[in-house]
Amino acid sequence: MKVAVIGAAGWVGRAVLESFAGRHEVRAFDRSREAWEVYRRFDGDWEGEKVYGDVADFHDVDRALEGMEGVVNLSAFFGEGVPPEDSVEPFLVNVKGMWNILEAARRHGLRRVVQMGSCVVQRPDGVFLSSEVRSMEGTLYGITKRLQEEVCRQYYEAWGSRVIVLRPCGIGDSRLGINRDGSPARGDIGWVCRHDLAEACHLALENATIDFDIMHTASHPEADRHCNAARSRDLLGLEYRGHFPGE
């Protein structure tokens, strides 16, 4: 499949590029050439089609999706170190960027949108987290990630856009034993290996039966008690191969 990977130079993006090699024809989209330097020490160089632009700019996204058959959105603005009252980037990147991708995908007739969401694995009130149950996160990042899900749901209901949203919590690398900042990776209930997420993206792209779904992605055996992580195994056929200390 011809696939645009948005946020391809990032922590999960580099794992997706590795996973897609030989399986998909990839167009890698990120904000600048400098973005590739962040994880070069872990992932080396990637030789393939690269395009640059702003995910919050519709025309940049539209050009990136031209001629593609699917898209994986991994872009995110975390807002770290920026006072929320002074920050518009979470809305521009996470919400406007999501609309740009879905609208461009609709106009170009893409077969599948895969969205990398974010969600806690356990709600404080003990309610099971299904696709219909929202997280109770109140941060600006958490709120904009919830809004992404709603935009995806609306595009499915209004236009029939075929979307699968994956809900990871903590994302590490079980091969290297590290978090995205290079610190040692933990092994608590919310963690998943970025290489398993990359495989989930591949399986979601290839799935021909799911029109819309939101599913947790967590490898810890206790996760099934609190969220719908089993759907990623049952519906996508995902086998979690990466595990962390304490699992």
Side-chain angles (χ1 to χ4, degrees), residues 214-237:
I214 299 173
M215 55 188 72
H216 276 77
T217 47
S219 59
H220 198 288
E222 290 293 308
D224 287 355
R225 293 176 51 205
H226 305 280
C227 66
N228 69 346
R231 294 182 74 80
S232 60
R233 301 192 305 272
D234 297 342
L235 299 185
L236 294 182

Side-chain angles (χ1 to χ4, degrees), residues 22-188:
R23 301 200 284 186
H24 299 290
E25 184 178 333
V26 173
R27 177 179 294 161
F29 178 96
D30 220 303
R31 64 188 184 278
S32 66
R33 290 176 176 81
E34 289 71 29
W36 294 94
E37 298 299 324
V38 178
Y39 295 111
R40 187 184 299 276
R41 67 188 188 279
F42 300 129
D43 299 303
D45 295 316
W46 184 76
E47 300 299 331
E49 183 183 3
K50 299 174 183 175
V51 295
Y52 301 103
D54 182 356
V55 73
D57 185 312
F58 176 79
H59 300 288
D60 286 353
V61 174
D62 189 59
R63 285 191 291 270
L65 268 57
E66 186 175 2
M68 297 290 101
E69 299 168 284
V71 58
V72 178
N73 181 33
L74 308 171
S75 64
F77 189 88
F78 296 96
E80 296 169 343
V82 181
E85 62 270 20
D86 297 329
S87 181
V88 298
E89 285 85 354
F91 293 100
L92 291 174
V93 174
N94 298 343
V95 184
K96 179 60 163 63
M98 186 79 261
W99 183 88
N100 289 342
I101 291 164
L102 289 163
E103 179 61 16
R106 184 184 73 83
R107 295 186 187 186
H108 289 293
L110 269 63
R111 289 155 45 189
R112 171 71 74 193
V113 175
V114 180
Q115 163 62 15
M116 191 62 64
S118 177
C119 191
V120 298
V121 169
Q122 292 176 271
R123 271 177 61 119
D125 58 5
V127 174
F128 186 87
L129 281 160
S130 69
S131 61
E132 298 298 324
V133 176
R134 277 65 165 174
S135 172
M136 295 174 67
E137 296 164 284
T139 65
L140 183 54
Y141 172 74
I143 290 169
T144 55
K145 295 302 285 186
R146 295 290 76 69
L147 290 173
Q148 284 184 325
E149 290 185 1
E150 296 309 311
V151 178
C152 289
R153 193 187 302 271
Q154 198 70 16
Y155 259 78
Y156 165 66
E157 293 180 351
W159 302 106
S161 300
R162 302 182 70 244
V163 185
I164 294 177
V165 180
L166 304 174
R167 280 179 171 175
C169 184
I171 306 172
D173 187 314
S174 64
R175 301 177 187 176
L176 301 175
I178 59 173
N179 187 12
R180 65 185 177 95
D181 63 1
S183 62
R186 302 172 298 180
D188 65 32

